[in-house]
Amino acid sequence: MLATGFLARRTVLNQPAFNSWSTLLRTARKRPTSTVAARVPLKLQSQQQFTRAYSSSKTMDTPADVFRGITDRFAGVTVDGREENVDKSSFRDKLTKSLDFWTTNKNRAIWFRVYKEQADWVPILAENGFDFHHAKTGVVVMYRWLPEHESSNLPTYAHTLMGVGGLVINEQDEVLVVSDRFAMIPNSWKLPGGYVEPRENLIDAAIREVAEETGIRTEFRSVVSLRHAHGGTFGCSDMYVVIALKPLNLDFTRCEREIARIQWMPIAEYLKHPQVHETNRQFVCTFLDYQKRGLTLTCRDEVHQVLKKKYNLYYVDREQPQEQQDKKNS
Amino acid sequence: MLATGFLARRTVLNQPAFNSWSTLLRTARKRPTSTVAARVPLKLQSQQQFTRAYSSSKTMDTPADVFRGITDRFAGVTVDGREENVDKSSFRDKLTKSLDFWTTNKNRAIWFRVYKEQADWVPILAENGFDFHHAKTGVVVMYRWLPEHESSNLPTYAHTLMGVGGLVINEQDEVLVVSDRFAMIPNSWKLPGGYVEPRENLIDAAIREVAEETGIRTEFRSVVSLRHAHGGTFGCSDMYVVIALKPLNLDFTRCEREIARIQWMPIAEYLKHPQVHETNRQFVCTFLDYQKRGLTLTCRDEVHQVLKKKYNLYYVDREQPQEQQDKKNS
């Protein structure tokens, strides 16, 4: 059932109000005037019932001088700046009245999505006990935890940057390496790669980065290794995933903006080259070991049973019975 | 050399100004009055030179009516609210003078770290062409890209939430499962787990979550699988890593705040239980397959050669020669 799926993992954790935010992003239920219903856990006996309840939405009346917002089933309220019609001069007054209403109503986490053009809301929200939660181009999200005798435990925003590197080896046992134009140490050789874009899958990101930087089109072979480190760019942690790729063409087209040099370097040279970082050597050794052992750290596309959302599963591929392998190869 | 390491991956990518931010977080060089030095790529011939240059810092004079900030070698400037002495009334004027100065000076990305108590800077920065980049409790970071005839390509902030689940199997072939107190579907069984904390390693996070929720102390066995999905909480993607753990005690202590029920469920029952999500069944099957094949998706602690920063490498463990295995087991 759902509770072991990726939604359920989020809805519980340590944070009572966590559900609210999670639910809220997917539903459009308006804040009820009473939160009794909102605080009763849904008693759903089947996925069918769940799916119905989850996708249902109700619009409730709220006083005209209170922000409408969207309420989740854990009595949180999110006010989206684009959905609220209020000029700057009346913002402060409406906020005061809304906070009174929400407090009486026993609402819990109050979230404000403030758009760049509403930046003058920010100091007023800060004066009223709101803090920053996260932001991206065009919008900052501020929150206030209303219950006074309970700690908030709201989840922090994402703090992990995802990057990928492509380990592209051709049939002549040569590795595709690049020297970055703006490299900290010129003349050093690294794997082509870069950041995973929002909503992009790891393998797609590796294939895209290799193509952008080198013009080499590739297809997936195996995930090789993950490197996880802390205290990087923007104070984030980062996860760098190396993915082995098979080249579909051999003549590279250098991305002049980013790349100073490209070459196919024989593996033997790569493994002892003074301008190749030790970790990258390990990636190659690891992949060679996988090849020797017939291992693939693979990826499978799946769709969530209930949410109908796509996800990718990465795992070491099952050993196939010899007859199946023969069939596949024939 | 460094350029294949995790810093270098960041310093290049598609973003010319990316280096600036990255460098800036680790150095304390004050903005020079001339940026000539800042725009010349460092020509470093060795790791020793690099390490020296990287850790050096210089304080330069700036006009008194201009924010001092910190300049990086790509001519970006970061102004940290806590380092600047300016009251609200003079903020606007100082900002105007600073922008003139930075424009003349050919500076590129301008970053402002604005703390909650300085929230009244936010609308003034927005009026002056600044946008939100990221935020967390207590601070919002706003930026403006100065060059008019060049696209910014500044990197987006982290957009991936990291979560872990603990697959704890005891010697009686029973799986540790929990039913969450606030589960969307009551009575469903999931793996104990939750979010990875900032700066926390995956295995530590899994061990911590299992202990917090169930009181079962564990040790690492193998990473099992990664699940990557998009469009989750806060609009982020999420990476959920399942880690097989060996229990060190068997009597659980339920976390009453989060967990409704705990049990050791026989694997055979788990694999056909109607209230276990299909994906979780796959995790168990995958781990059983690893056990049968003697596979471990392991983690090794490493330290970066140049930066002396710790990182974790995850990969399928090498097969050990039989004699080494015998020695290990003896």
Side-chain angles (χ1 to χ4, degrees):
Chain A
M1 298 277 169
L2 179 85
T4 53
F6 65 87
L7 172 69
R9 178 173 60 84
R10 275 195 210 103
T11 56
V12 189
L13 299 181
N14 308 335
Q15 300 88 0
F18 187 51
N19 293 298
S20 52
W21 184 247
S22 169
T23 308
L24 144 79
L25 286 170
R26 296 190 183 84
T27 64
R29 273 180 288 170
K30 294 298 172 185
R31 182 167 50 74
T33 46
S34 156
T35 56
V36 174
R39 277 177 287 131
V40 174
L42 299 179
K43 298 279 183 201
L44 295 168
Q45 301 310 315
S46 71
Q47 286 186 7
Q48 287 72 23
Q49 274 182 287
F50 164 72
T51 307
R52 275 201 303 277
Y54 202 62
S55 55
S56 72
S57 73
K58 271 186 178 178
T59 305
M60 303 271 186
D61 293 329
T62 47
D65 53 358
V66 165
F67 290 110
R68 288 174 74 219
I70 294 173
T71 304
D72 53 78
R73 68 194 185 96
F74 283 81
V77 178
T78 292
V79 176
D80 187 300
R82 294 229 168 113
E83 304 294 328
E84 303 288 342
N85 211 346
V86 59
D87 56 29
K88 185 191 167 184
S89 61
S90 53
F91 180 82
R92 190 186 302 268
D93 185 49
K94 192 163 183 173
L95 180 61
T96 306
K97 291 202 172 80
S98 298
L99 283 169
D100 286 346
F101 179 83
W102 292 324
T103 303
T104 308
N105 209 30
K106 296 210 184 334
N107 284 110
R108 293 156 69 86
I110 310 297
W111 303 86
F112 266 80
R113 292 180 65 80
V114 181
Y115 296 86
K116 195 174 59 171
E117 56 274 22
Q118 298 157 334
D120 46 20
W121 293 10
V122 172
I124 304 172
L125 286 164
E127 280 167 33
N128 280 274
F130 283 78
D131 202 338
F132 303 113
H133 187 270
H134 65 278
K136 50 189 167 185
T137 299
V139 63
V140 61
V141 176
M142 299 181 74
Y143 73 99
R144 179 173 158 186
W145 180 250
L146 280 189
E148 282 182 9
H149 303 293
E150 195 186 330
S151 60
S152 88
N153 277 337
L154 292 171
T156 56
Y157 192 67
H159 50 79
T160 305
L161 294 162
M162 296 291 300
V164 286
L167 178 60
V168 187
I169 297 181
N170 66 20
E171 288 182 359
Q172 283 69 49
D173 287 335
E174 296 169 321
V175 188
L176 181 66
V177 289
V178 299
S179 191
D180 280 327
R181 216 181 128 191
F182 301 100
M184 196 68 83
I185 303 176
N187 307 318
S188 58
W189 293 106
K190 62 181 277 282
L191 302 179
Y195 277 117
V196 176
E197 298 286 335
R199 306 186 73 90
E200 190 177 39
N201 297 342
L202 304 180
I203 295 169
D204 294 343
I207 290 172
R208 176 185 54 73
E209 284 286 346
V210 169
E212 283 175 8
E213 291 185 358
T214 70
I216 302 289
R217 288 170 292 108
T218 55
E219 61 183 29
F220 176 70
R221 262 184 176 152
S222 174
V223 174
V224 176
S225 178
L226 282 70
R227 188 186 53 202
H228 192 209
H230 304 298
T233 305
F234 305 126
C236 290
S237 299
D238 83 2
M239 181 67 87
Y240 175 61
V241 182
V242 174
I243 296 175
L245 299 166
K246 182 182 166 184
L248 301 175
N249 59 321
L250 294 171
D251 294 331
F252 37 73
T253 313
R254 184 170 63 86
C255 167
E256 295 188 10
R257 182 170 177 179
E258 300 177 50
I259 305 295
R261 294 184 302 157
I262 304 180
Q263 73 165 78
W264 288 105
M265 186 182 285
I267 287 180
E269 184 183 341
Y270 183 91
L271 291 180
K272 61 182 185 199
H273 198 292
Q275 278 153 321
V276 167
H277 189 273
E278 190 187 302
T279 321
N280 277 24
R281 265 195 282 278
Q282 288 172 351
F283 295 143
V284 171
C285 291
T286 299
F287 180 61
L288 294 178
D289 179 62
Y290 291 3
Q291 281 197 312
K292 207 176 77 186
R293 296 162 67 190
L295 288 181
T296 307
L297 185 41
T298 195
C299 174
R300 199 167 68 208
D301 294 332
E302 297 277 346
V303 176
H304 193 282
Q305 285 177 301
V306 178
L307 300 174
K308 307 300 176 203
K309 277 182 64 163
K310 290 180 187 176
Y311 60 88
N312 296 119
L313 265 189
Y314 296 85
Y315 58 97
V316 185
D317 211 358
R318 303 274 155 81
E319 258 175 335
Q320 293 173 347
Q322 197 56 47
E323 50 196 277
Q324 280 188 31
Q325 282 190 30
D326 293 344
K327 210 180 271 178
K328 214 173 174 182
N329 296 337
S330 69
Chain B
M1 296 280 170
L2 179 86
T4 52
F6 65 85
L7 173 68
R9 179 173 58 85
R10 275 195 210 102
T11 55
V12 187
L13 299 182
N14 308 335
Q15 300 89 1
F18 187 51
N19 292 299
S20 52
W21 184 248
S22 168
T23 308
L24 145 78
L25 287 169
R26 297 192 184 82
T27 64
R29 273 180 286 168
K30 294 298 173 185
R31 182 168 49 74
T33 45
S34 155
T35 56
V36 174
R39 277 177 288 133
V40 175
L42 298 178
K43 298 278 180 201
L44 295 169
Q45 301 311 316
S46 70
Q47 288 186 6
Q48 287 71 24
Q49 274 182 284
F50 165 71
T51 306
R52 275 201 301 276
Y54 202 62
S55 56
S56 71
S57 74
K58 272 186 179 175
T59 306
M60 303 273 185
D61 293 329
T62 47
D65 53 359
V66 165
F67 290 109
R68 290 175 73 217
I70 295 172
T71 304
D72 53 78
R73 68 193 184 96
F74 283 79
V77 177
T78 292
V79 177
D80 187 300
R82 295 231 167 111
E83 304 294 326
E84 302 289 340
N85 213 346
V86 59
D87 56 29
K88 185 191 166 182
S89 60
S90 53
F91 180 83
R92 191 186 302 268
D93 185 50
K94 192 164 185 174
L95 180 62
T96 307
K97 292 203 171 79
S98 298
L99 283 169
D100 286 347
F101 179 83
W102 292 324
T103 304
T104 309
N105 209 29
K106 296 209 186 333
N107 284 110
R108 293 157 69 85
I110 311 296
W111 303 87
F112 266 80
R113 293 180 64 80
V114 182
Y115 295 86
K116 194 173 60 171
E117 56 274 21
Q118 297 156 334
D120 46 21
W121 292 11
V122 172
I124 303 171
L125 287 164
E127 280 167 35
N128 281 276
F130 284 78
D131 202 338
F132 303 113
H133 188 271
H134 65 277
K136 49 189 166 183
T137 298
V139 63
V140 60
V141 176
M142 298 181 75
Y143 73 101
R144 181 174 158 185
W145 180 250
L146 279 189
E148 283 181 11
H149 304 292
E150 195 186 330
S151 61
S152 87
N153 277 339
L154 293 171
T156 58
Y157 192 68
H159 49 80
T160 306
L161 294 162
M162 297 290 301
V164 286
L167 179 60
V168 187
I169 297 179
N170 66 21
E171 289 183 359
Q172 283 69 50
D173 287 334
E174 296 168 321
V175 187
L176 182 65
V177 289
V178 299
S179 192
D180 279 328
R181 216 181 126 190
F182 301 100
M184 195 69 83
I185 303 177
N187 306 319
S188 59
W189 293 106
K190 63 179 277 283
L191 302 179
Y195 278 117
V196 176
E197 298 286 335
R199 306 185 74 89
E200 190 177 37
N201 297 342
L202 304 180
I203 295 169
D204 294 342
I207 290 172
R208 176 185 53 74
E209 284 286 345
V210 169
E212 283 175 8
E213 291 185 358
T214 69
I216 302 289
R217 288 171 291 108
T218 55
E219 62 183 27
F220 176 70
R221 262 184 176 152
S222 175
V223 175
V224 176
S225 179
L226 282 71
R227 187 187 54 203
H228 192 209
H230 305 297
T233 305
F234 304 127
C236 290
S237 299
D238 83 4
M239 181 67 86
Y240 175 61
V241 183
V242 174
I243 296 176
L245 299 166
K246 182 181 164 185
L248 300 175
N249 59 321
L250 295 172
D251 294 331
F252 35 74
T253 313
R254 183 170 63 87
C255 167
E256 295 189 12
R257 184 172 174 180
E258 299 178 50
I259 304 295
R261 294 184 304 157
I262 304 179
Q263 72 166 77
W264 288 105
M265 186 183 284
I267 289 180
E269 183 183 341
Y270 182 92
L271 291 180
K272 60 181 187 198
H273 198 293
Q275 279 154 320
V276 168
H277 188 274
E278 190 188 302
T279 321
N280 276 25
R281 266 195 283 278
Q282 288 171 351
F283 295 143
V284 171
C285 291
T286 299
F287 180 61
L288 295 178
D289 180 61
Y290 291 2
Q291 281 197 310
K292 207 176 77 186
R293 296 162 68 191
L295 288 181
T296 308
L297 185 39
T298 195
C299 175
R300 200 168 65 209
D301 294 332
E302 296 278 348
V303 177
H304 192 283
Q305 286 177 302
V306 178
L307 300 174
K308 308 299 176 204
K309 276 181 64 163
K310 290 181 188 176
Y311 60 88
N312 295 119
L313 265 191
Y314 295 85
Y315 59 97
V316 185
D317 211 358
R318 304 273 155 81
E319 259 175 335
Q320 294 174 348
Q322 197 57 46
E323 52 197 276
Q324 280 189 31
Q325 283 190 28
D326 294 345
K327 209 180 270 178
K328 213 171 173 182
N329 296 334
S330 69

